[in-house]
Amino acid sequence: MVLMSARAVNRATLARQMLVERADVSGVEAVGRLVGMQGQEPKHPYVGLWSRIDGFEEAELDRAVAERDVVRATMFRGTLHLVTAADYLRFRTTVSPVLEAGLKILGDRGEGLEPAKVVAAAKKLLAKEPLTFTEVRDALQQQFPEVNERALGFCTRMLVPLVMYPTDARWSWSANARFTPAEDWLGSKLHTRAEPKELVTRYLAAFGPATPADFQTWSGLQKAKPLFDDLELETFTDEAGRTLYDVPDGPRPDPDTPAPVRFLPEFDNLLLSHAKRERIIADEHKPAVYTKNLRVKSTYTVDGLVAGLWTAEKKRGVATLTLTPFGRTLKRTLTELEREGTALLRFLEPDAKTYQVVTNG
């Protein structure tokens, strides 16, 4: 079995993540290539696409949302994702076991919960009009007064196929977004049969080479090894002796291929989609990125690896990008970061009068 160095694994992953060079593709095509983008907050996928698409403009994704080509909905790992409409319809049934299993975290709060009855009631409510989850919980509480209102809302979020209802707010969704039935919004029915093998190949095309445990981490689906064994995949060995699987036509560029600096948003799936994440971030830097309250901070990469954090703000017309490096930054790297960072600021704050990139420490 061919040995893949850590650098080779890194470059293969970056290539399919469109982070070796920006891709000349539409926003919808890019979201499809990535099999969705975690969208904990609406801005994050916009930033992720800006770093991956040549000439990406905010309005392009706005149009795709308005035209219902992409949706924001609960999907992989039971978290909010921006996915293409086609992938939502295709794979929502595939990930339903993950969403159903999510009810276990309710514990005592789920006392008295009868999911089938709650689902039926929630569907009836949401068929009338889009609602926020506060409105859903309040309405369900009237029908199920003995059940915890948070349990009612969580059951609805996990078990009822819903998409977020967009508005004309910047980044397409308001902070307290409403939800609407997915099939009504998209005018199509969900694919009724689970397609886990197809999902494996799509995952590998976006995040490979990878292990079954990596796929499980990304999707939330368990017992994936038999799926990998049933597929015709290339196999490699990494430096830790693990068997890596890949689609036969997956890009595996020369390990010496240059990787430019890139800025990743909070919760970027590149940092969430492998059981072992050394291909993108060193173990010693993880505590600074993955917080105790389950947030994943905005990061930037240097030579293909996470090298620091970034934040952006605008005050009195001045847009500032603040870099917090994890170690010493070479002068030529800082120049590249300033150039790329200024371009990011112009994307985030197009109305600012002045742009500046500063470094902590």
Side-chain angles (χ1 to χ4, degrees):
M1 199 177 298
V2 177
L3 174 68
M4 286 193 78
S5 67
R7 191 175 175 90
V9 172
N10 170 269
R11 291 306 193 262
T13 307
L14 292 180
R16 53 199 81 190
Q17 284 284 308
M18 296 169 277
L19 293 170
V20 170
E21 59 181 353
R22 284 182 166 93
D24 183 17
V25 296
S26 70
V28 175
E29 184 178 346
V31 173
R33 279 197 196 181
L34 298 169
V35 208
M37 307 177 74
Q38 181 141 333
Q40 213 74 358
E41 294 176 10
K43 178 172 69 174
H44 298 158
Y46 283 82
V47 176
L49 290 176
W50 178 86
S51 287
R52 291 171 164 94
I53 296 176
D54 187 27
F56 174 73
E57 295 183 357
E58 181 182 331
E60 180 190 348
L61 187 54
D62 291 342
R63 287 193 300 272
V65 171
E67 293 171 1
R68 311 187 189 195
D69 292 326
V70 295
V71 295
R72 189 168 163 230
T74 301
M75 279 289 282
F76 310 111
R77 305 185 297 279
T79 57
L80 286 170
H81 274 68
L82 184 79
V83 295
T84 66
D87 280 349
Y88 183 88
L89 293 168
R90 183 72 174 172
F91 295 120
R92 174 58 175 74
T93 299
T94 303
V95 301
S96 61
V98 179
L99 308 183
E100 293 164 6
L103 295 185
K104 294 177 182 178
I105 71 170
L106 289 172
D108 293 341
R109 289 183 299 169
E111 185 176 352
L113 180 70
E114 297 183 73
K117 291 183 179 180
V118 173
V119 166
K123 285 182 176 179
K124 191 173 181 179
L125 284 169
L126 287 154
K128 297 176 183 177
E129 61 179 331
L131 298 171
T132 67
F133 260 90
T134 299
E135 293 169 334
V136 170
R137 288 195 300 265
D138 289 348
L140 291 175
Q141 185 81 82
Q142 294 178 29
Q143 298 183 52
F144 306 96
E146 303 302 319
V147 182
N148 180 285
E149 66 169 8
R150 294 286 174 179
L152 293 169
F154 189 70
C155 179
T156 302
R157 186 185 295 271
M158 292 293 107
L159 302 189
V160 181
L162 302 172
V163 299
M164 280 188 167
Y165 192 82
T167 69
D168 58 1
R170 193 179 183 197
W171 315 122
S172 292
W173 288 276
S174 59
N176 189 23
R178 293 181 292 165
F179 286 76
T180 195
E183 291 182 335
D184 293 348
W185 180 251
L186 295 174
S188 296
K189 296 293 185 181
L190 300 180
H191 188 64
T192 57
R193 188 176 65 249
E195 301 288 354
K197 291 181 184 178
E198 182 181 344
L199 192 60
V200 166
T201 60
R202 290 286 302 282
Y203 166 77
L204 291 174
F207 295 96
T211 67
D214 292 329
F215 171 77
Q216 292 173 185
T217 297
W218 169 77
S219 66
L221 293 166
Q222 299 303 302
K223 300 179 180 178
K225 181 63 163 56
L227 298 175
F228 282 65
D229 291 340
D230 284 346
L231 291 165
E232 294 185 5
L233 302 172
E234 299 280 353
T235 56
F236 304 89
T237 301
D238 69 7
E239 292 179 352
R242 293 181 295 251
T243 298
L244 300 177
Y245 298 81
D246 202 7
V247 288
D249 57 350
R252 292 181 286 272
D254 189 305
D256 292 328
T257 301
V261 302
R262 287 292 183 260
F263 288 90
L264 302 176
E266 292 182 52
F267 296 102
D268 194 281
N269 261 350
L270 182 56
L271 283 90
L272 288 166
S273 300
H274 300 92
K276 300 290 186 180
R277 295 164 183 169
E278 68 271 13
R279 71 178 63 202
I280 189 65
I281 182 170
D283 286 343
E284 63 264 29
H285 300 323
K286 289 180 181 178
V289 175
Y290 305 92
T291 70
K292 292 181 180 179
N293 61 352
L294 303 181
R295 294 197 70 83
V296 180
K297 295 182 180 179
S298 300
T299 60
Y300 62 87
T301 61
V302 174
D303 194 26
L305 295 172
V306 170
L309 310 175
W310 66 269
T311 58
E313 64 176 354
K314 185 177 75 170
K315 290 184 178 178
R316 294 185 291 276
V318 178
T320 302
L321 186 78
T322 302
L323 308 178
T324 303
F326 293 151
R328 178 172 169 265
T329 305
L330 297 175
K331 187 175 181 180
R332 66 173 179 273
T333 302
L334 184 58
T335 298
E336 190 178 358
L337 284 166
E338 289 174 346
R339 182 174 61 250
E340 183 80 357
T342 300
L344 174 60
L345 279 176
R346 292 183 183 279
F347 173 76
L348 292 172
E349 303 292 350
D351 297 330
K353 297 177 181 177
T354 306
Y355 300 93
Q356 61 181 14
V357 177
V358 299
T359 303
N360 277 334

